[in-house]
Amino acid sequence: MAEQVFYEDIEAGSEVPALVKYPTTMQLVKYAGASGDYYQIHYDKDFALASGLPGVIVHGWLALSFLGQMLTDWLGEGGTLVKLNGSYRGMNLVHEDLICNGKVTKKYVEDGKNCARVEIWAENPQGEKTVTGSAVVTLPSRG
Amino acid sequence: MSDEPVISEELQNMLNVEYGPEVYEIEKGMVKKFAEAVDDPNPAWQEAAPPTFPAALVPTGLLHRLFNAKTPLTRLLNGASELEYFHPIRVGDVISVTAKLTRLRQMEGKEGPTLFMFTEVIYTNQRGEVAVKGKNTYIKY
């Protein structure tokens, strides 16, 4: 585990350590089973191509799960995730890197809690943003 | 393209109708399977649910109607998801899921008419506390 990040350690512009995932068709099948989302575009290449897609595409929810992992890895045991959202703007194909990024846009105290707003996004290997969103988190204080 | 309206009466009639509750017992194996599927090895997910776990607590009543509603648009994509957390979902919890369609919006997209369907889902635990609120946008085109 990485060291705990504290509210005092961050400022607007601070980066969340990136997380790179490599989803495979097998992982999408596992995700389909675990989530109950059996839409064939996520594991049946013929179906995906017939639907006009370039191939089997990663579930939006799975890409958002990776962004969630990036955040909870960063928050450690002392921080909490309050809000998480993502818009699925492009497609991540299987057997390609899916790169998760995050950057603090604002830190503030609300109801006695040390909060931060974080801009999050996922990219494909071409550098296109396939998911864009934001999160609200709380962080522990050193004080 | 047929003359059928993109926003059918069937869809209109679903607006703001609450579907559910559907009750999910949060079993250890179910959370473990989800954490493995999203490939997140954080040991915290042995007892608590990872952030996107609510995706597995499907409001099937709403979604089956929504996805099977008659419309000339046959292809479906997930457009956006939003989750707000109030209480952690933990192994042993019993979560009641209610859901509704809150808005329908038709737009002209690159590939013709596009329908945005906005949903809201509430996940309530066995103590009656709202654990998570979710919003999801589905796109038919």
Side-chain angles (χ1 to χ4, degrees), chain B residues 113-127:
Chain B
T114 305
L115 174 63
F116 291 79
M117 308 187 289
F118 298 85
T119 62
E120 284 182 16
V121 188
I122 309 278
Y123 305 87
T124 306
N125 66 25
Q126 68 279 15
R127 291 177 293 277

Side-chain angles (χ1 to χ4, degrees), chain B residues 66-81:
Chain B
L66 201 56
F67 298 159
N68 295 323
K70 231 175 150 233
T71 159
L73 310 178
T74 54
R75 292 177 293 177
L76 176 72
L77 284 175
N78 193 355
S81 309

Side-chain angles (χ1 to χ4, degrees), chain B residues 3 13 17 36 46 79 82 101 104 106 112 119 125 130 134 136:
Chain B
D3 294 332
N13 288 340
V17 175
E36 281 173 4
Q46 289 169 18
E82 180 179 323
L101 173 69
L104 293 166
Q106 185 180 342
T119 62
N125 66 25
V130 172
N136 214 88

Side-chain angles (χ1 to χ4, degrees), chain B residues 46-120:
Chain B
Q46 289 169 18
E47 290 303 327
T52 53
F53 180 74
L57 309 179
V58 183
T60 54
L62 173 67
L63 294 190
H64 283 170
R65 281 180 184 82
L66 201 56
F67 298 159
N68 295 323
K70 231 175 150 233
T71 159
L73 310 178
T74 54
R75 292 177 293 177
L76 176 72
L77 284 175
N78 193 355
S81 309
E82 180 179 323
L83 293 165
E84 186 172 6
Y85 306 96
F86 299 94
H87 293 279
I89 295 179
R90 306 186 64 83
V91 169
D93 280 352
V94 179
I95 303 292
S96 300
V97 182
T98 57
K100 59 186 177 186
L101 173 69
T102 56
R103 197 153 74 93
L104 293 166
R105 185 166 174 223
Q106 185 180 342
M107 288 176 69
E108 269 317 298
K110 274 187 299 211
E111 304 194 41
T114 305
L115 174 63
F116 291 79
M117 308 187 289
F118 298 85
T119 62
E120 284 182 16

Side-chain angles (χ1 to χ4, degrees), chain A residues 84-85 104 121 133:
Chain A
L84 173 67
N85 72 67
V104 174
W121 69 97

